[in-house]
Amino acid sequence: MKKFLFILMFASGVYAQKEVFNVQHYCVDVKPFKKGQCDISGNEYSFVFLDTQKKELTFFFTNTKLKYKITESHIEQPNPNFTWYNLVNEKGNMEMRINKQKTKIEFIDATNHIYLKVGRSTKFE
């Protein structure tokens, strides 16, 4: 019975396109950028919802909700350890990258860089 439930849960997870990332720690580097410096950091309640099928991303960052449309995604040949996403919303464009292990997410725009350490992602339907 346990095997059956495991297979059923695994099969439903394979077809799901939505992922939820639980943010364990964040670091915001505000322009002028200094590598490795956090102007703002913490571990407040934050989540990233990624829906590749609908091409949507929602980022609950502390008490702010940011919604983006995914316009493009790709893996660069020189560094295949990251998947890049081009994002757009009413405030402008942003780039996001997620490492292959899905433990680090970075949001990059002209005025700040947000580095996230995330817990294990979960898929949902």
Side-chain angles (χ1 to χ4, degrees):
M1 184 65 172
K2 286 182 183 180
K3 264 188 177 179
F4 175 75
L5 289 174
F6 174 76
I7 291 171
L8 182 63
M9 290 176 65
F10 178 76
S12 66
V14 169
Y15 293 105
Q17 297 296 315
K18 299 178 186 178
E19 293 182 87
V20 179
F21 298 92
N22 180 10
V23 177
Q24 295 177 342
H25 186 266
Y26 64 85
C27 167
V28 180
D29 186 7
V30 179
K31 197 172 187 177
F33 304 122
K34 295 180 182 167
K35 188 171 177 82
Q37 179 178 339
C38 294
D39 295 311
I40 304 166
S41 67
N43 57 359
E44 295 175 43
Y45 187 73
S46 299
F47 288 95
V48 176
F49 293 86
L50 175 64
D51 188 339
T52 55
Q53 187 174 17
K54 290 183 179 178
K55 296 188 179 241
E56 296 177 339
L57 180 119
T58 305
F59 180 22
F60 290 95
F61 184 53
T62 61
N63 58 0
T64 305
K65 178 180 178 182
L66 305 167
K67 289 191 76 145
Y68 294 95
K69 278 293 200 188
I70 300 170
T71 58
E72 179 188 353
S73 65
H74 63 279
I75 298 173
E76 293 180 341
Q77 292 304 324
N79 189 358
N81 293 324
F82 288 91
T83 301
W84 286 86
Y85 296 88
N86 292 335
L87 309 173
V88 64
N89 69 6
E90 64 278 352
K91 294 182 181 179
N93 298 328
M94 181 176 281
E95 289 185 324
M96 178 185 76
R97 71 180 193 162
I98 300 175
N99 69 344
K100 191 181 281 188
Q101 298 80 15
K102 297 188 177 186
T103 58
K104 295 180 184 177
I105 300 176
E106 297 176 25
F107 288 91
I108 303 165
D109 73 6
T111 59
N112 62 50
H113 296 174
I114 302 171
Y115 302 98
L116 307 175
K117 290 181 185 174
V118 296
R120 191 170 149 179
S121 76
T122 57
K123 293 186 177 188
F124 64 95
E125 293 185 288

